[in-house]
């Protein structure tokens, strides 16, 4: 069921989403070659907790037998890893890497969700372009995230833009509603037909998240049950914000 947030709930959403934005501000300042992905995880968790929130991804259980709960506070995915990379002391970030981080904070019973892909040191022009296109795909989509439009309008805009740039979108994973639950209705794929899906209403809070691959759209799941990689080894990028549907333009909650 799609939830319409009350004024009080929207204030809770703004508060937790600000935590997410401040966490990314700190990560952007700290990320550098030579760090382990575990160090990034520690920075993020400490920041969230210092702001009165908890990392909602830590211990998140998808309820599938044989797949353990997510063991870390953030997802850290490097280069050909699309999403859900597990932080590790052994995974060292190198010069030229692109590092996608997905963070969900929980405060006052509400979730805020965002993702960023960071360029570490001197990065290839190909990687720079992929990251920029992925970010722009989000902004192309939210032009249609207005009351009265349909979810499919947002999905269509994202997919059309990504394909026009010569890239692929991930079809197996999607954006989503968000609030008391990390994943709520509606689902928001990064492709689709305009004019389809539910109508957007003021008070909806949505996590819109283009996941873009430089090569073919095929993906694989690693044996850890979480990490998703590109099948052809091509680079991938991820960009996400939690937004609020209003009477006018959408409000991006996870940006300062």
């Amino acid at each position: 069921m799609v939830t319409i947030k009350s004024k009080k709930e929207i204030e809770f959403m703004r508060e937790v989403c600000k935590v997410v934005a401040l966490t990314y501000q700190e990560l952007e300042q700290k990320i550098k070659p030579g760090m382990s992905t575990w160090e990034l995880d520690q920075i993020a968790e400490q920041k969230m907790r210092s702001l009165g929130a908890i990392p909602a991804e830590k211990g998140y259980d998808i309820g599938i037998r044989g797949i353990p709960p997510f063991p870390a506070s953030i997802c850290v995915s490097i280069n050909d890893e699309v999403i859900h990379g597990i932080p590790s002391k052994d995974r060292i970030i190198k010069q030229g890497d692109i590092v996608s981080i997905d963070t969900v904070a929980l405060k006052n019973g509400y979730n805020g969700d965002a993702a960023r892909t960071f360029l570490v040191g001197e990065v290839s022009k190909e990687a720079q372009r992929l990251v920029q296109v992925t970010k722009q795909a989000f902004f192309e989509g939210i032009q249609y995230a207005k009351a009265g439009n349909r979810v499919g309008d947002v999905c269509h805009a994202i997919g059309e833009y990504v394909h026009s740039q010569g890239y692929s979108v991930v079809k197996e994973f999607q954006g989503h509603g968000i609030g008391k639950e990390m994943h709520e209705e509606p689902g928001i794929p990064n492709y689709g037909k305009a004019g389809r899906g539910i109508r957007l209403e003021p008070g909806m809070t949505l996590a819109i998240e283009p996941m873009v691959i430089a090569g073919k759209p095929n993906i694989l799941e690693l044996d850890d049950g979480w990490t998703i990689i590109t099948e052809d080894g091509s680079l991938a990028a991820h960009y996400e914000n939690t937004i609020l549907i209003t009477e006018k333009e959408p409000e991006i909650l996870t940006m300062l």
Side-chain angles (χ1 to χ4, degrees):
M1 184 179 75
V2 178
T3 62
I4 305 298
K5 309 302 188 295
S6 67
K7 287 184 178 180
K8 184 176 182 180
E9 289 179 306
I10 289 169
E11 286 309 309
F12 283 144
M13 289 295 294
R14 287 194 179 108
E15 189 175 347
V16 71
C17 286
K18 185 175 181 181
V19 171
V20 174
L22 289 169
T23 300
Y24 276 115
Q25 185 179 67
E26 180 131 343
L27 287 168
E28 185 172 20
Q29 292 169 355
K30 298 284 181 66
I31 191 169
K32 62 182 179 180
M35 294 182 75
S36 70
T37 55
W38 179 85
E39 287 177 85
L40 289 176
D41 181 80
Q42 296 303 295
I43 291 166
E45 179 169 1
Q46 289 167 17
K47 185 65 175 180
M48 283 186 266
R49 292 190 184 279
S50 75
L51 295 168
I54 62 171
E57 290 173 320
K58 195 167 190 176
Y60 185 74
D61 191 348
I62 58 175
I64 296 177
R65 184 187 293 258
I67 298 179
F70 194 76
S73 299
I74 58 175
C75 301
V76 186
S77 308
I78 302 176
N79 296 333
D80 66 335
E81 296 172 346
V82 186
I83 49 173
H84 301 163
I86 299 174
S88 164
K89 291 181 180 180
D90 298 326
R91 191 73 194 274
I92 306 302
I93 297 165
K94 301 188 292 295
Q95 178 88 224
D97 282 343
I98 61 172
V99 181
S100 297
I101 300 178
D102 193 352
T103 300
V104 187
L106 176 66
K107 186 176 183 180
N108 296 320
Y110 289 83
N111 292 275
D113 189 0
R116 301 285 185 268
T117 300
F118 296 106
L119 308 174
V120 182
E122 293 294 322
V123 174
S124 69
K125 288 185 177 180
E126 175 196 0
Q128 290 177 39
R129 181 171 181 268
L130 173 66
V131 172
Q132 181 56 42
V133 166
T134 304
K135 180 177 179 179
Q136 184 59 34
F138 166 84
F139 289 99
E140 294 291 327
I142 68 164
Q143 291 182 57
Y144 297 89
K146 299 177 182 179
N149 285 351
R150 294 187 180 273
V151 166
D153 299 331
V154 177
C155 304
H156 177 77
I158 291 171
E160 287 299 296
Y161 175 73
V162 170
H163 293 139
S164 76
Q165 301 301 305
Y167 296 137
S168 304
V169 296
V170 176
K171 294 190 173 182
E172 292 86 348
F173 296 89
Q174 61 183 358
H176 49 90
I178 186 169
K180 287 184 176 180
E181 301 295 331
M182 187 188 302
H183 298 106
E184 298 182 352
E185 293 295 327
I188 309 170
N190 292 307
Y191 67 98
K193 294 185 177 181
R196 302 287 181 89
I198 66 163
R199 286 201 185 276
L200 301 176
E201 299 179 42
M204 289 181 177
T205 45
L206 310 172
I208 296 174
E209 51 178 319
M211 291 162 267
V212 180
I213 295 175
K216 295 180 179 179
N218 310 69
I219 58 173
L220 297 172
E221 181 182 272
L222 296 186
D223 291 341
D224 61 27
W226 285 101
T227 308
I228 302 298
I229 64 171
T230 61
E231 187 178 65
D232 61 8
S234 60
L235 295 175
H238 188 193
Y239 186 85
E240 174 186 21
N241 283 300
T242 298
I243 69 165
L244 169 68
I245 303 298
T246 75
E247 296 286 356
K248 297 179 181 178
E249 296 296 318
E251 179 182 344
I252 303 174
L253 302 178
T254 44
M255 292 180 72
L256 298 175

